[in-house]
Amino acid sequence: QVQLVESGGGLVQAGGSLRLSCAASGRTFRSYSMGWFRQAPGKEREFVAAITWSGGNTRYADSVKGRFTISRDIPKSTVYLQMSSLKPEDTAVYYCAARMDGSIWRAQYDYWGQGTQVTVSS
């Protein structure tokens, strides 16, 4: 059973930084891709960033390019989302997700975490 547990959310002022973590367990994730999504109140969930577990290839939404960095620590089975220069519009629940086929270009993911709240005050 795949488990994804996010942590690191919180309240931060605009311009600040946060690092989200996603601890993955239950499988060998070598062939997987991992993604971060977010959902703001009243809005649909949107893609933020993705990374291939094996090769570390990455993809970002245009809205976060240059501000967010996705990475993974293979021995720790943990994926990170380093968020900098945060804006009030980054406020959302952030979800970690895993996709079995390793693609970082598809929207559908197979496993999801419970989410962690990020609030950016102006």
Side-chain angles (χ1 to χ4, degrees):
Q1 182 77 3
V2 172
Q3 277 198 313
L4 304 174
V5 180
E6 303 97 334
S7 61
L11 174 64
V12 64
Q13 287 189 331
S17 299
L18 276 177
R19 188 178 79 160
L20 304 183
S21 299
C22 172
S25 62
R27 292 283 170 85
T28 299
F29 293 95
R30 191 178 302 116
S31 63
Y32 280 54
S33 58
M34 305 294 292
W36 285 98
F37 291 75
R38 66 186 182 187
Q39 187 166 21
K43 294 188 177 181
E44 293 187 354
R45 186 170 60 197
E46 65 174 357
F47 168 78
V48 175
I51 187 168
T52 57
W53 197 270
S54 58
N57 297 321
T58 58
R59 183 170 79 99
Y60 296 92
D62 288 343
S63 59
V64 306
K65 274 181 185 175
R67 300 188 299 122
F68 291 11
T69 302
I70 188 170
S71 62
R72 84 274 189 250
D73 185 324
I74 294 175
K76 292 184 178 179
S77 280
T78 300
V79 178
Y80 302 99
L81 185 68
Q82 178 67 48
M83 306 185 294
S84 303
S85 301
L86 283 161
K87 306 175 182 180
E89 51 263 44
D90 294 317
T91 295
V93 177
Y94 283 71
Y95 298 90
C96 175
R99 184 180 168 93
M100 290 187 289
D101 71 359
S103 172
I104 58 173
W105 299 101
R106 304 289 181 89
Q108 290 74 33
Y109 277 65
D110 300 297
Y111 302 98
W112 293 85
Q114 293 299 308
T116 185
Q117 177 70 48
V118 172
T119 303
V120 184
S121 63
S122 56

